Each structure stands twice: as C-alpha cells, then as structure tokens.
Amino acid sequence: NPGLTLTIQFPISPVESQIVEFTTLTNTSTLIVGTGGTFTIDPSFAGAPTAGFAATYVYHETDDTYYKIGS
C-alpha cells in the first residue's frame, strides 16, 4: 500500500559487529530511523525508496555508531 511510513527500530543495546539489515519488497515506503538508543547511524536515511530498496548496517562499539556497509 503506497504512502505507508515504516519505522526501523535499531537495537538499543547493540554489541560489536551487530548487523541490522532490511529491505522493502513491493511498495514504496517512507523510512524513518527510530533509535531509542544513544548511538549514531552513519549515514542515516529518510525518503521514499522504491520497492526492493535494501540497506545493511554494522555496529562499531568504539564509535557507538552503526555504519552502512551495503545496499
């Protein structure tokens, strides 16, 4: 159903090298980062990706940051 808003909740107590991966399958969605934690997401995302959009992030404890490592 186009026009939906999808909130991705990253784990709020991540461990080193934890992976977060997601994709949209058949609809265009607006993506919003819902963190609830103290970490950073680099790069963050927002917008309306097309169906099939995918992203993979890995957590690095030293920087308290999730880094995008794949699409």
Side-chain angles (χ1 to χ4, degrees):
N1 196 2
L4 297 176
T5 297
L6 175 63
T7 300
I8 303 298
Q9 181 70 48
F10 283 61
I12 58 173
S13 298
V15 295
E16 179 66 28
S17 301
Q18 184 165 354
I19 301 287
V20 173
E21 191 171 43
F22 59 91
T23 187
T24 59
L25 297 177
T26 59
N27 292 313
T28 299
S29 300
T30 300
L31 300 176
I32 301 168
V33 176
T35 61
T38 60
F39 51 79
T40 302
I41 298 174
D42 184 21
S44 189
F45 54 84
T50 58
F53 171 82
T56 303
Y57 286 82
V58 64
Y59 180 73
H60 186 54
E61 189 172 16
T62 304
D63 301 339
D64 195 24
T65 300
Y66 280 97
Y67 291 101
K68 187 173 180 185
I69 58 169
S71 298

